[in-house]
Amino acid sequence: MEAMGVIDVLHKKLAFLSGGKDRRSGLILSIPLGADQTNMEELGDTLDYLLSIPSDKCKARGFTVIVDGRRSQWNTVKTVVLMLQNVIPAEVSLVCVVKPDEFWDKKVTHFCFWKEKDRLGFEVILVSANKLTRYIEPSQLTDDFGGTLDYDHGDWLSKRQVFEKFTKESTSLLDELSVINDGDKSAPLDKSPTLLLPSLDPETVLQAGHELLSELQQRRFNVAEGAGPGGGGGGGQGAPTWRPMEEELLAQPQVMKLLDSLREKYTRYQEVCRQRNKRSQIHDVHAKVMQVVTWLQGPGAELLKTHQAIGDSMRAAQALQQKHEEIESQHSEWFAVYVELNQQIGVLLGSAGGGGADDEQEDAEELKALRQQLSDVCYQQAALLENRQNVLQAAHTFHAATQELSQQLDALLGMLCADVAPTDAAQIQHNLKVLEEKLQSVEAGLATLRQKGALLLERAEDGDAAGERGDDNARHVHDVVDDMQMRKQRCEDMVDVRRLKMLQMVQLFKCEEDALQAVDWLCELLDALLKTHVRLGEDARQTQVLMDKHRKFVDVAQGTYDYGRQLLQATVVLCQSLRCATRSSGDTLPRLNRVWKQFGAGADERQRRLQLALAFHRRAEAVLEDERAEAESLDEVDASAKALLDRLATPVVFPDGSEQHFGGADTAAESDFVRERLLLVEERRLRLQEAEAVAGGPRPREEAQRPLRVIGEEDPDERTPDE
């Protein structure tokens, strides 16, 4: 049964197979009933056609029939259900009647289906559209029933017509080709009558079949890709509108079988046609092959032998390449003939062997010998052309590397010949870095040149460039490399001298900078000495610790001064070596000496103050700890305290006559502490006097009338040891 016989009925879409499957892998047959009365005869024709498509294996799995009665009357639905019993009673597994939301009397409908259940042979259920997914997966339902399965009835029907048309035409063409091929076997090739032509173009039919098969395979692949293992899933954006069901439904194996048979018959038909003109083609091929071989082995080979030079510059190499391109152009015309002949021979050999006669075997041997001869000559000449091209390319790159290296050497030599007048160490280091980079570039360029030269000589030897021309080429390459090596060596010697000079200049600037830094450090130490080194300690132990720290502090300053002197001496030596005048020779050294003398004066003053403080603390501690201190000891404490306080009030006098006080407020605090300590000593003096008065009677008038001195007040009767 063909679709064209019932095409008008099929267009009405009274029933359709969407490609969906139930949970038992059975096909889903949909019957959408409309509001108008359904023509049962047309519905029967539609069902007969649809049921003729699946295979027996597919039918054996059973059908799930969806009767969409949402817009129809109950009597029509019942008639359709009963009709299924007559059309496909054995294949129906389940009938799902989609009912409207508010329609039909439930008792009547259930009663009727229950009453007919045993006679029908299949189960009938009433279900709402939104509950149909309880029985069938949404991916297997079309959008009419709330599913995601894409189905276009018009597209499906169009593809079905294409399939049936191809089946009909291919079957007819196979019969005609069989008649033509079988009739040609009985007649000799040279006496065969005019070959009959088939009524249909085999190429057109094959093309239609391939397009149909490609369409089926592509659509099936796309659906499988989107649906997953279950075979379901709706089409998203870009998905096909027509969904194939499976091999049984599409008859894909049938299309492939027809195509295979048609190709086989058509190949035999083409072979019969080819055998008629093969002999004439062989003679033409033989003549053309001899013509190509003669030119390649004669004028072509002579052209290559007379052009073996590599040139002595890039311009010469480019001129040789242009000449070689002209030679290649001449060869290309003959190579094009070779390609054409090779294709013709391949076609003739491919068509041989169909008849199995001795002359065909002889023709095949002749064609193979011609092809082998032609291929050997052409490949040999092409290899010579390619090798010559490689030699010219290697020569061009060699001359380019030579030119680049020569420019690098010129630039390096120009830099070496220029005077060096840097302003600071950073500029010298930058110039030194640039010099080293240029030297490295030259070394890399020379290595590249050697590599390119070796490659050029190797390719020239492979090209069989022997004789005087080959020797001249090798000699030229070696001379160029040796010349560049000598130029590089001269530049390296000059670079060594320039590098040493620049490194000395860097060292000179570094010494000057470090000398200035040493002066700055010494100034900072002097500033710290005058502003922060004021504390004298609260007892002898603390004062001794401060004296030790002061000695270390002075040692640091001495090291800084010595370091600066050494740097300045180094600048003098470097300047003599470089024959230049240092910028710091007239300023840094006097400044360094001046700061050092100021630091020495401050350090000496600090040392004397600490010594006086240590003497004061030791005497005061001895007096305060001795319960029977003598008057002389107390007088010594007073004298040392007075000497210390006088020293603290005295400024530091630098060698240039300038003065500066220590500390300021911190020095005053230290003076107050000394006075407080002296007050304790005076209190001890009073206690001793009172004790002596009690023990030995009244004191002498002078001692009794001696008042308690104010802390820091000068006693005219007392003199310090220094005074």
Side-chain angles (χ1 to χ4, degrees):
M1 189 175 184
E2 297 182 359
M4 290 302 299
V6 289
I7 189 64
D8 295 334
V9 176
L10 293 177
H11 274 300
K12 295 181 180 181
K13 196 181 177 182
L14 300 178
F16 62 89
L17 289 168
S18 64
K21 296 182 181 181
D22 57 20
R23 293 173 180 171
R24 294 185 296 271
S25 297
L27 293 177
I28 298 176
L29 175 63
S30 302
I31 304 177
L33 299 178
D36 300 334
Q37 186 67 28
T38 302
N39 189 323
M40 295 301 168
E41 182 178 356
E42 293 180 348
L43 178 60
D45 292 341
T46 301
L47 293 177
D48 289 340
Y49 176 76
L50 293 176
L51 294 176
S52 67
I53 298 175
S55 63
D56 295 337
K57 180 180 178 181
C58 183
K59 292 178 182 179
R61 293 197 291 266
F63 291 86
T64 292
V65 182
I66 301 177
V67 180
D68 188 1
R70 289 176 290 182
R71 296 183 298 168
S72 181
Q73 301 293 328
W74 162 245
N75 291 333
T76 303
V77 174
K78 181 178 179 182
T79 302
V80 171
V81 173
L82 295 177
M83 180 183 181
L84 295 175
Q85 180 187 18
N86 299 325
V87 179
I88 47 173
E91 288 82 0
V92 177
S93 300
L94 175 65
V95 176
C96 296
V97 178
V98 182
K99 63 179 181 177
D101 294 336
E102 296 181 0
F103 200 68
W104 305 338
D105 189 340
K106 290 187 176 181
K107 294 183 179 180
V108 174
T109 55
H110 280 96
F111 174 76
C112 292
F113 285 128
W114 182 263
K115 179 179 179 181
E116 302 293 338
K117 180 178 180 181
D118 296 336
R119 186 168 64 85
L120 290 174
F122 48 78
E123 182 181 2
V124 180
I125 61 173
L126 290 176
V127 63
S128 300
N130 57 358
K131 296 182 180 179
L132 190 60
T133 55
R134 295 181 179 179
Y135 306 94
I136 303 173
E137 296 293 335
S139 61
Q140 304 299 318
L141 293 172
T142 60
D143 56 357
D144 296 337
F145 304 110
T148 59
L149 179 64
D150 286 338
Y151 175 75
D152 187 334
H153 186 70
D155 189 57
W156 176 85
L157 186 57
S158 174
K159 296 300 182 294
R160 186 65 190 174
Q161 289 178 269
V162 172
F163 166 73
E164 292 182 354
K165 179 183 177 182
F166 168 73
T167 303
K168 182 178 180 180
E169 291 181 351
S170 60
T171 303
S172 175
L173 182 59
L174 283 173
D175 294 338
E176 293 181 9
L177 291 178
S178 297
V179 173
I180 294 172
N181 294 337
D182 293 342
D184 187 73
K185 291 179 181 179
S186 59
L189 180 62
D190 55 348
K191 298 181 179 180
S192 303
T194 303
L195 193 65
L196 298 177
L197 298 177
S199 59
L200 297 173
D201 182 16
E203 294 287 349
T204 304
V205 177
L206 282 171
Q207 181 66 24
H210 284 301
E211 291 177 357
L212 175 60
L213 182 61
S214 176
E215 180 73 17
L216 297 178
Q217 292 174 340
Q218 182 64 28
R219 290 176 178 271
R220 185 178 180 219
F221 172 77
N222 290 339
V223 171
E225 186 182 48
Q237 183 179 2
T241 57
W242 175 70
R243 177 186 178 87
M245 288 166 275
E246 57 184 20
E247 288 89 354
E248 295 90 345
L249 189 59
L250 298 176
Q252 181 176 327
Q254 184 179 354
V255 174
M256 297 175 64
K257 183 177 180 181
L258 287 172
L259 283 174
D260 293 339
S261 300
L262 190 57
R263 278 193 294 266
E264 181 181 357
K265 296 292 183 182
Y266 183 52
T267 301
R268 174 58 185 162
Y269 173 77
Q270 290 176 319
E271 182 180 354
V272 171
C273 295
R274 287 193 298 267
Q275 288 175 353
R276 296 182 177 277
N277 57 2
K278 185 174 66 173
R279 284 310 307 166
S280 61
Q281 293 179 4
I282 291 177
H283 291 297
D284 294 340
V285 167
H286 185 276
K288 293 181 180 179
V289 167
M290 291 297 102
Q291 186 180 6
V292 173
V293 170
T294 300
W295 190 90
L296 292 178
Q297 291 181 341
E302 188 65 24
L303 281 174
L304 288 177
K305 289 181 181 179
T306 56
H307 293 83
Q308 296 293 334
I310 62 173
D312 56 358
S313 63
M314 286 184 60
R315 181 174 298 179
Q318 290 174 353
L320 291 173
Q321 282 185 327
Q322 291 177 356
K323 182 60 179 178
H324 182 71
E325 289 175 358
E326 295 176 1
I327 297 175
E328 283 185 335
S329 178
Q330 298 178 27
H331 281 76
S332 297
E333 298 176 0
W334 294 98
F335 288 154
V337 177
Y338 157 70
V339 173
E340 182 180 355
L341 290 174
N342 196 41
Q343 292 176 350
Q344 292 180 9
I345 293 174
V347 172
L348 292 174
L349 288 175
S351 62
D358 294 339
D359 55 349
E360 290 198 359
Q361 182 67 25
E362 190 176 322
D363 293 341
E365 295 295 334
E366 181 181 356
L367 289 172
K368 291 179 181 179
L370 287 173
R371 183 169 65 178
Q372 186 64 41
Q373 181 183 6
L374 182 62
S375 298
D376 292 343
V377 174
C378 289
Y379 277 112
Q380 180 180 3
Q381 198 70 5
L384 293 176
L385 284 171
E386 182 180 4
N387 186 78
R388 175 59 180 167
Q389 179 64 28
N390 293 336
V391 169
L392 291 176
Q393 289 178 353
H396 185 272
T397 56
F398 174 76
H399 293 311
T402 302
Q403 181 175 335
E404 182 180 0
L405 179 58
S406 179
Q407 293 173 353
Q408 291 175 350
L409 288 169
D410 292 340
L412 179 58
L413 183 61
M415 184 176 180
L416 292 172
C417 293
D419 293 334
V420 180
T423 57
D424 53 23
Q427 184 179 358
I428 296 177
Q429 291 177 346
H430 173 73
N431 294 340
L432 182 60
K433 180 180 178 182
V434 173
L435 186 65
E436 296 292 348
E437 291 176 352
K438 287 185 177 296
L439 182 59
Q440 291 177 1
S441 299
V442 168
E443 292 176 351
L446 183 59
T448 302
L449 183 64
R450 289 196 181 98
Q451 180 183 4
K452 300 299 182 183
L455 179 62
L456 174 58
L457 294 178
E458 179 183 355
R459 290 184 176 178
E461 292 176 0
D462 293 340
D464 195 22
E468 295 182 0
R469 177 61 65 181
D471 295 339
D472 292 341
N473 293 337
R475 189 179 305 110
H476 173 72
V477 171
H478 290 305
D479 291 344
V480 170
V481 173
D482 293 341
D483 179 63
M484 291 298 169
Q485 175 64 37
M486 293 177 61
R487 291 180 60 186
K488 171 183 172 292
Q489 186 61 47
R490 289 195 296 269
C491 287
E492 282 183 343
D493 296 339
M494 297 177 66
V495 166
D496 292 338
V497 176
R498 178 57 61 89
R499 183 190 296 113
L500 178 60
K501 183 176 181 180
M502 296 179 75
L503 290 175
Q504 288 178 342
M505 296 183 70
V506 171
Q507 188 176 4
L508 172 61
F509 280 109
K510 181 63 176 176
C511 289
E512 291 180 349
E513 292 176 0
D514 291 347
L516 292 174
Q517 183 65 49
V519 174
D520 293 338
W521 287 341
L522 201 58
C523 290
E524 292 175 359
L525 293 174
L526 175 60
D527 187 66
L529 175 65
L530 296 176
K531 293 182 178 180
T532 61
H533 290 216
V534 178
R535 293 182 62 251
L536 300 176
E538 297 178 357
D539 52 30
R541 183 183 60 80
Q542 291 185 4
T543 303
Q544 185 63 47
V545 171
L546 290 174
M547 291 181 69
D548 295 339
K549 291 183 178 180
H550 178 68
R551 281 193 294 271
K552 294 179 181 179
F553 184 75
V554 172
D555 292 339
V556 171
Q558 180 68 49
T560 304
Y561 172 73
D562 295 339
Y563 176 64
R565 292 278 298 185
Q566 292 172 2
L567 291 173
L568 292 175
Q569 291 175 359
T571 59
V572 173
V573 175
L574 290 172
C575 285
Q576 292 175 353
S577 175
L578 295 171
R579 299 178 182 178
C580 65
T582 177
R583 298 174 301 173
S584 60
S585 59
D587 179 53
T588 306
L589 182 59
R591 184 183 171 195
L592 177 65
N593 291 330
R594 182 176 63 254
V595 175
W596 174 244
K597 290 178 181 179
Q598 291 177 350
F599 182 85
D604 292 341
E605 178 62 26
R606 172 65 176 170
Q607 180 67 25
R608 286 193 290 270
R609 293 185 180 191
L610 288 173
Q611 291 174 351
L612 291 174
L614 180 62
F616 168 73
H617 285 306
R618 286 178 176 175
R619 291 171 180 174
E621 289 172 1
V623 169
L624 294 175
E625 292 175 359
D626 188 1
E627 295 295 336
R628 297 180 179 181
E630 296 180 358
E632 293 180 358
S633 299
L634 296 175
D635 293 340
E636 291 177 356
V637 173
D638 290 342
S640 61
K642 182 177 182 302
L644 177 59
L645 291 174
D646 292 341
R647 201 74 187 186
L648 292 176
T650 303
V652 180
V653 180
F654 295 125
D656 58 359
S658 60
E659 298 181 355
Q660 185 172 349
H661 287 275
F662 272 90
D666 294 335
T667 302
E670 292 296 322
S671 299
D672 294 340
F673 178 77
V674 172
R675 292 188 182 97
E676 292 176 0
R677 195 81 182 268
L678 186 59
L679 182 60
L680 296 177
V681 174
E682 293 300 327
E683 291 177 355
R684 171 58 62 88
R685 184 192 296 274
L686 292 176
R687 286 197 299 270
L688 288 175
Q689 291 176 355
E690 292 175 356
E692 290 177 357
V694 173
R699 295 178 299 164
R701 184 177 180 87
E702 292 182 16
E703 295 180 4
Q705 292 179 353
R706 185 175 183 177
L708 180 64
R709 291 184 293 107
V710 179
I711 298 176
E713 181 180 356
E714 183 179 359
D715 189 348
D717 297 332
E718 294 182 355
R719 295 290 186 270
T720 61
D722 294 337
E723 296 173 336

